[in-house]
Amino acid sequence: MKKLTSTQIENQLKNLDGWTYENESISKSFIFKDFKEAFSVMTRIAFEAEQQNHHPNWENVYNQLTIKLNTHDAGGITQYDFDLAQSIENIVGNN
């Protein structure tokens, strides 16, 4: 997959509420009711990521989940990252 330009990235970010672009990654933090809810969402994201064969960099501390996406093989952001970010938004929104 081809690496996106900064302009392409900024345009696509307009469709993802709260996601930011920094250090060749797009990222967002989510806050949940408690650890159990955060871990439940992480599990659903993990299954989706595996299906898309595109895996996030993430960190979980109690009820907070921070996700960073980039495509290592392309050396930056690709459409894969935006596809997974949209899937993540759908999962979190259905929580």
Side-chain angles (χ1 to χ4, degrees):
M1 173 110 359
K2 188 174 180 182
K3 181 178 171 181
L4 300 176
T5 67
S6 294
T7 301
Q8 291 171 315
I9 293 166
E10 293 298 333
N11 285 336
Q12 291 215 39
L13 280 173
K14 293 175 186 175
N15 300 319
L16 291 171
D17 187 41
W19 288 80
T20 60
Y21 171 52
E22 183 178 9
N23 298 326
E24 294 298 323
S25 294
I26 59 172
S27 64
K28 183 174 179 178
S29 291
F30 300 91
I31 303 292
F32 299 97
K33 182 178 70 176
D34 54 26
F35 177 75
K36 183 178 175 181
E37 185 176 280
F39 196 81
S40 173
V41 170
M42 289 176 68
T43 301
R44 293 195 320 255
I45 292 170
F47 280 101
E48 180 63 29
E50 187 65 19
Q51 183 175 8
Q52 292 185 29
N53 195 30
H54 192 60
H55 305 92
N57 295 313
W58 57 10
E59 178 181 8
N60 167 245
V61 177
Y62 182 58
N63 68 334
Q64 183 171 330
L65 172 61
T66 302
I67 299 174
K68 294 182 181 180
L69 302 173
N70 65 23
T71 306
H72 301 284
D73 294 344
I77 309 298
T78 67
Q79 188 59 47
Y80 286 139
D81 301 301
F82 284 100
D83 292 346
L84 183 55
Q86 186 58 62
S87 295
I88 291 167
E89 286 295 319
N90 294 341
I91 290 167
V92 173
N94 289 326
N95 186 36

